Amino acid sequence: MKILACNSNRPLAEAIAEYLTMSITNAVIRRFSDMEVFVEIHENVRGEDVFVIQSTCYPANDNLMELLVTLDALRRGSARRITAVIPYFGYARQDRKSSPRSPISAKLVANLITTAGADRVVTLDLHSGQIQGFFDIPLDNLYAAPVFTNDIRARYQGDDVMVVSPDVGGVVRARAIARRIDADLAIIDKRREKAGVSEVMNIIGDVRGRRCIMVDDIVDSAGTLCNAAEALMKAGAVSVAAFVTHGVLSGGAVARVTASPLEELVITDSIPATEAVKLAHNIRQVTIAPLMAESIQRISEERSVSSLFD
């Protein structure tokens, strides 16, 4: 088995390699003067089981192209099996036609990854489960739930906790966390009455006197998350925290979170933290390296991955 790291999330790749007591494969991934991607692998990969670690986060197109060119280099280098490990799968939010003549970009990206040479894909908390069906190769969709559950138990032991889904679409994810920590579940139903009027938050469940924990897969602009935190506090919650797998946090999201009633926002290192995230007083990052490393080890040894989440 070999671990190869592209450039998008080198610290996570190094942490995974350290957990597996391995060194990262010697490779050069650089740009020509016109920003064209060039990949050169300086180790023999013939007959090897190679895992390529690359999040397709910002800049999404550059990082996706790096992944595709690396997969092609490994395929042409006669690797036995190539697994694309994509902790954050970009373009996942474009998983259906949301309007006439719009693309299904998640399917396009799945086709590109398969054509480039991947034999298998490993990812974390896909935005929607049906994306697994876009791939004609095996895909392992891992869950951050065990990482979040351990952190919640360590920090909220003995507290009156209620898990909250910030929208109806995330109920399944929130319920899984609630079941693991034996907590109640509340749901926020948000709707916009008319264009130009702010969203109205309706809370399904009694949150008075409870420490609320919102659970979601992606936080981008953080607008919904912060509005939901305000609604929960107005409804009588003692405190509000959020556990979100992928911290995209684009634009003014970090400033929005720091100015919000959120006690803390906990994200994973599926996307590397920006300097603004590192300096924010109420944003904290937890690592998924042991979870990803254990999954990689099990795939290499042809053992069960799903048993990690039982």
Side-chain angles (χ1 to χ4, degrees):
M1 179 172 70
K2 284 185 180 290
I3 301 290
L4 195 152
C6 295
N7 293 326
S8 75
N9 202 339
R10 188 85 187 187
L12 177 60
E14 289 171 352
I16 290 171
E18 184 179 353
Y19 184 93
L20 295 170
T21 62
M22 296 175 61
S23 58
I24 292 176
T25 299
N26 185 10
V28 173
I29 302 171
R30 59 182 176 86
R31 302 285 196 276
F32 289 129
S33 58
D34 62 352
M35 301 308 292
E36 193 176 295
V37 177
F38 175 73
V39 175
E40 192 171 33
I41 300 165
H42 293 159
E43 290 184 26
N44 180 28
V45 295
R46 185 179 297 274
E48 293 281 359
D49 191 8
V50 185
F51 292 83
V52 182
I53 300 171
Q54 174 81 330
S55 284
T56 51
C57 51
Y58 176 85
N61 298 332
D62 287 359
N63 288 329
L64 175 60
M65 200 65 203
E66 270 189 18
L67 174 63
L68 297 176
V69 176
T70 302
L71 293 174
D72 185 71
L74 289 167
R75 180 171 61 88
R76 295 177 189 280
S78 301
R80 177 175 59 85
R81 182 173 66 176
I82 306 164
T83 302
V85 181
I86 312 172
Y88 172 65
F89 185 83
Y91 286 97
R93 287 173 283 182
Q94 300 183 51
D95 59 347
R96 65 194 183 281
K97 281 177 69 74
S98 56
S99 61
R101 295 169 298 281
S102 62
I104 305 178
S105 302
K107 171 59 176 168
L108 172 63
V109 171
N111 290 344
L112 289 170
I113 290 169
T114 305
T115 302
D119 299 300
R120 189 181 200 98
V121 171
V122 177
T123 189
L124 179 74
D125 273 336
L126 276 173
H127 184 59
S128 54
Q130 65 263 28
I131 294 173
Q132 297 174 71
F134 293 173
F135 286 87
D136 295 324
I137 55 176
L139 182 144
D140 292 294
N141 183 29
L142 310 180
Y143 303 100
V147 177
F148 285 161
T149 300
N150 292 338
D151 195 79
I152 292 168
R153 283 177 179 155
R155 288 181 170 263
Y156 295 89
Q157 190 71 40
D159 292 338
D160 190 8
V161 170
M162 176 172 266
V163 175
V164 180
S165 174
D167 53 45
V168 175
V171 171
V172 174
R173 185 177 295 104
R175 187 185 292 122
I177 297 281
R179 188 171 57 246
R180 283 173 175 266
I181 63 173
D182 193 26
D184 294 330
L185 176 68
I187 303 165
I188 293 179
D189 173 39
K190 64 178 188 292
R191 63 191 68 183
R192 191 178 294 276
E193 298 296 338
K194 58 181 179 179
V197 179
S198 61
E199 291 176 336
V200 177
M201 298 284 183
N202 299 308
I203 301 170
I204 304 169
D206 186 4
V207 299
R208 282 175 297 180
R210 315 292 290 272
R211 299 195 70 183
C212 293
I213 297 174
M214 289 190 287
V215 177
D216 211 349
D217 62 326
I218 298 174
V219 53
D220 188 351
S221 66
T224 297
L225 207 64
C226 294
N227 289 342
E230 288 178 8
L232 289 167
M233 292 301 289
K234 286 178 182 176
V238 173
S239 65
V240 182
F243 284 72
V244 184
T245 306
H246 307 298
V248 177
L249 296 171
S250 61
V254 174
R256 202 170 286 119
V257 170
T258 54
S260 76
L262 280 170
E263 184 179 60
E264 68 171 351
L265 168 62
V266 181
I267 56 177
T268 74
D269 53 355
S270 64
I271 296 173
T274 62
E275 198 60 35
V277 169
K278 291 175 184 175
L279 294 173
H281 72 274
N282 60 342
I283 302 179
R284 181 165 57 87
Q285 206 171 38
V286 294
T287 185
I288 52 166
L291 175 67
M292 302 296 292
E294 187 62 34
S295 303
I296 288 170
Q297 186 76 59
R298 289 179 179 224
I299 290 167
S300 180
E301 296 173 356
E302 305 292 349
R303 293 190 289 132
S304 170
V305 173
S306 60
S307 59
L308 279 171
F309 308 100
D310 293 339

